[in-house]
Amino acid sequence: MTDNPVQVMGVVNLTPDSFSDGGLFLELPDALPHARRLIAEQADMLDLGAESTRPGALPVAAEDEIERLIPLIRAVREGSAIPISVDTMKPEVARAAVAAGADIWNDVSALRHAPEAPDVAAELGCQVVLMHMQGEPRTMQDAPHYDDVVAEVTGFLAARAEAALAAGVAREKIWLDPGIGFGKRLEHNLALLAHLDRVVALGFPVLLGVSRKRFIAALDPAAAETGDRLAGSLAAALAGAAAGVAAVRVHDVAATVQALRVWRAIAAAGG
Ligand code: HH2
């Protein structure tokens, strides 16, 4: 068990079709108050996304992503120094975002979407999240298959970290993420959550995204709606905290901050 505080990354989706809050915060007048609310709820960083990665989601053109993201990055930056992450697979979007004030490139393709992605990450000098995904968002849930999901995901993440280092990304800029729900069935997600210590052992800070995800509904039919998955999201976030993840990516910031605070106090009392 770690003594380190687990950081909370609050999600702001500027997408019409995200699985949990698609369409709610598409426009700046809605997205900005939402971002400000997450900051007030004590998010340690924000993750802004303009392209949904849910299974079956349609791709978004780089110009459209940039058009949605940049005004929000600038507006958040005007009022806060909070670290801003952008959830994009496209180097040109990451470049524009960093120029506008973003600090972190959260890439669910782990710098594989474009051949120049590792070089661009090195050149930008921002932090980079390398996430595991089997397949691509549109088709990833069609037939996920692993012989040993934990070994394959940790091997993949180690290889992507090596590729980033080889391109010149500084070691201390690299985060890893097992990609819960990305080309994975329930048993794959559970095996990864049970063995997060193996991802942590790779030696990079680990970001965990479990918030409102479908595996929770697979375990509790009463959680068919994403809004009914808070309790399961908190349970999985705490499992991550116990395994030593550095940060959790969540939609419900206030509840997660409280859950982590209680968990940490109990852990500290145990010595
Ligand atoms: N999950 C989602 C999106 N981006 N990035 C990282 N690093 N890790 C994750 O687990 C992760 C992620 C999916 O959640 P959400 O943003 O709510 O949905 P959508 O992709 O449909 O916008």
Side-chain angles (χ1 to χ4, degrees):
M1 215 177 260
T2 173
D3 290 322
N4 292 338
V6 180
Q7 296 197 1
V8 174
M9 173 186 266
V11 178
V12 182
N13 279 322
L14 289 148
T15 53
D17 55 353
S18 282
F19 78 93
S20 85
D21 53 7
L24 283 183
F25 310 116
L26 183 54
E27 304 295 336
L28 189 63
D30 301 311
L32 184 57
H34 182 61
R36 288 189 175 139
R37 184 163 63 246
L38 300 188
I39 293 169
E41 290 177 358
Q42 298 184 41
D44 298 294
M45 47 191 167
L46 295 181
D47 187 40
L48 317 183
E51 178 177 48
S52 176
T53 49
R54 83 182 155 77
L58 294 173
V60 176
E63 310 83 76
D64 295 337
E65 269 189 69
I66 290 172
E67 203 173 301
R68 289 182 199 167
L69 285 169
I70 302 309
L72 181 60
I73 294 170
R74 292 217 175 98
V76 170
R77 214 8 107 245
E78 263 174 33
S80 168
I82 190 166
I84 297 173
S85 157
V86 283
D87 189 346
T88 184
M89 296 189 280
K90 303 189 186 80
E92 61 267 48
V93 177
R95 193 190 293 280
V98 168
D103 309 277
I104 306 165
W105 179 2
N106 173 21
D107 185 358
V108 300
S109 79
L111 304 178
R112 292 177 302 157
H113 185 68
E116 71 276 20
D119 291 336
V120 172
E123 175 204 320
L124 294 177
C126 59
Q127 297 183 63
V128 189
V129 180
L130 306 173
M131 198 199 76
H132 175 272
M133 165 166 58
Q134 188 177 84
E136 56 177 70
R138 206 169 43 79
T139 53
M140 65 189 178
Q141 289 306 111
D142 289 354
H145 173 82
Y146 302 84
D147 293 321
D148 180 340
V149 67
V150 178
E152 287 170 50
V153 169
T154 50
F156 170 91
L157 292 174
R160 293 315 298 159
E162 281 308 317
L165 289 167
V169 177
R171 192 174 183 86
E172 64 274 13
K173 303 283 185 189
I174 297 174
W175 291 65
L176 302 179
D177 184 329
I180 298 299
F182 284 82
K184 296 171 185 88
R185 296 186 199 283
L186 175 63
E187 65 266 31
H188 304 139
N189 292 318
L190 293 177
L192 284 167
L193 288 168
H195 295 286
L196 281 172
D197 55 320
R198 301 248 311 264
V199 184
V200 172
L202 293 172
F204 296 90
V206 173
L207 173 67
L208 180 68
V210 285
S211 181
R212 301 187 184 178
K213 286 198 173 164
R214 198 184 301 184
F215 76 93
I216 298 168
L219 294 167
D220 178 9
E225 300 294 325
T226 53
D228 293 329
R229 298 178 189 169
L230 176 57
S233 303
L234 296 176
L238 294 183
V245 304
V248 286
R249 179 184 180 278
V250 306
H251 302 86
D252 302 286
V253 167
T256 307
V257 166
Q258 185 183 84
L260 286 169
R261 194 165 289 168
V262 170
W263 173 82
R264 202 154 53 236
I266 295 168

